[in-house]
Amino acid sequence: MVVNFDLGQLKVGENWISVGRKDGLALCRRDIARGDGWSRARYAPECAWPRGAELCVLVEWYPDLEAGSDWTARLEAVTGGLRSLGYVVERAGRPIDPAKDLCANLLVYRMEPGKTPPRRPDDAWTHAQAPKTYTWPERDPLDHVRWLLSQTKASCKGARVTVWNLASALWPPEADLCGHVRWWPAEGSGEAVHRDLRDVVLAMRDEGYRVRQQERSIPDAVREVDLLVYRVADTGATG
C-alpha cells in the first residue's frame, strides 16, 4: 500500500527491519525511536471515501505506552509529513481520549485532479460516541440494519449481505450511526445488480436511513458491492 510506504519513508510508519532468520522464516521487529509510537494505513471501503477522492485510507497511530508518547506532537509529525507529500489529512472521527484510547485515527486521501477537498472541520465528528459492547437485553443498533436488509427482495432472492461496524473516522460527519454493508448479488448481470441495488437503497431510505455507494459507477458485472448505511445526527452538522 502506497501510504504505508510513504509513512515508512517519513519515519513515522511501522519501519520493520530484519533481525535474522529462524526455521527458514525471517525475524523482524519495528525500528522505532523510544516514545515515538508507530502508525499504519488501513483499508477504507470506497463508499466511505470523501467525494472526489481517488485514494483514501485510514491511518492509525499507536503510542509508545511504556515511554508515554506525546500524542499531540506525534500526530502533528504524521499529519505534516503526509501533507507535504500531497495528501489531504483530517483528524476525523470521534474525539480521542489519550487516557482511554489505544490509538488515534487520521483520514488520509488524495483528490482527483481539478477537484477540491470537502471543507470539514476537525470537530465535525464530536457528536460520535465511543464504541460500545452490547450485552443482553441490549441490542446493537446495527442489528436493525441487518434485519432490514434481510427483508429486502434482493436478499430473498438469495443475495448475501454482511454489516460491519466502521471506525467513526470513516463516517459521514453528519452521521450518529453508520455501518459498512457488503452485498453479494445473487445475479451477476448489470441490469439485475442495479435493479436489486435500487431495491436495497429504497428499503433503507423508507426506514429513515441514508445510503452511500462509491462515486465511480458500479461495473455491469460485479461480484460484490459496498455501501454505507447511516442515520443522521440532530446536530446541524453538514458534510
Side-chain angles (χ1 to χ4, degrees):
M1 184 183 291
V2 64
V3 180
N4 274 324
F5 174 81
D6 287 339
L7 288 168
Q9 294 296 105
L10 292 166
K11 305 301 181 185
V12 295
E14 296 188 69
N15 297 323
W16 292 101
I17 62 170
S18 176
V19 294
R21 299 185 68 84
K22 182 178 181 180
D23 299 329
L25 300 175
L27 300 178
C28 299
R29 67 172 176 83
R30 295 187 180 98
D31 182 25
I32 298 171
R34 181 173 171 79
D36 278 351
W38 55 276
S39 52
R40 64 181 177 188
R42 303 299 298 270
Y43 165 77
E46 194 170 343
C47 56
W49 294 8
R51 293 313 191 200
E54 62 179 3
L55 174 152
C56 178
V57 296
L58 181 70
V59 169
E60 299 172 335
W61 173 74
Y62 290 84
D64 182 340
L65 297 178
E66 293 184 3
S69 296
D70 184 328
W71 285 60
T72 300
R74 190 57 179 170
L75 284 172
E76 283 299 319
V78 177
T79 299
L82 289 169
R83 284 177 175 161
S84 73
L85 297 178
Y87 293 101
V88 181
V89 185
E90 295 181 0
R91 290 285 299 275
R94 65 176 182 82
I96 297 299
D97 183 349
K100 298 179 181 179
D101 292 309
L102 296 177
C103 70
N105 292 322
L106 297 170
L107 191 64
V108 178
Y109 56 98
R110 276 205 175 115
M111 297 299 295
E112 294 178 357
K115 293 195 175 183
T116 303
R119 294 185 177 182
R120 307 190 296 193
D122 288 348
D123 62 356
W125 292 263
T126 53
H127 60 277
Q129 300 297 308
K132 179 180 178 180
T133 300
Y134 293 89
T135 56
W136 181 261
E138 295 179 305
R139 294 195 65 185
D140 185 338
L142 287 181
D143 284 345
H144 187 235
V145 174
R146 295 181 180 100
W147 182 83
L148 290 172
L149 290 167
S150 73
Q151 304 305 302
T152 61
K153 294 178 182 178
S155 290
C156 292
K157 289 192 297 184
R160 293 188 297 124
V161 65
T162 298
V163 184
W164 292 296
N165 286 301
L166 194 69
S168 60
L170 295 171
W171 293 14
E174 67 272 23
D176 72 350
L177 170 72
C178 184
H180 171 200
V181 174
R182 177 159 291 172
W183 169 55
W184 291 268
E187 301 179 62
S189 69
E191 182 180 351
V193 167
H194 286 86
R195 182 185 63 243
D196 288 348
L197 181 57
R198 285 193 298 270
D199 172 59
V200 169
V201 171
L202 290 174
M204 298 307 301
R205 287 178 177 170
D206 285 346
E207 294 293 328
Y209 293 90
R210 297 188 183 184
V211 181
R212 177 183 289 184
Q213 60 191 69
Q214 66 185 45
E215 193 170 10
R216 291 185 304 136
S217 298
I218 294 176
D220 285 339
V222 65
R223 297 183 61 183
E224 59 192 38
V225 178
D226 287 324
L227 302 168
L228 284 192
V229 174
Y230 62 101
R231 188 175 61 199
V232 174
D234 296 325
T235 63
T238 59

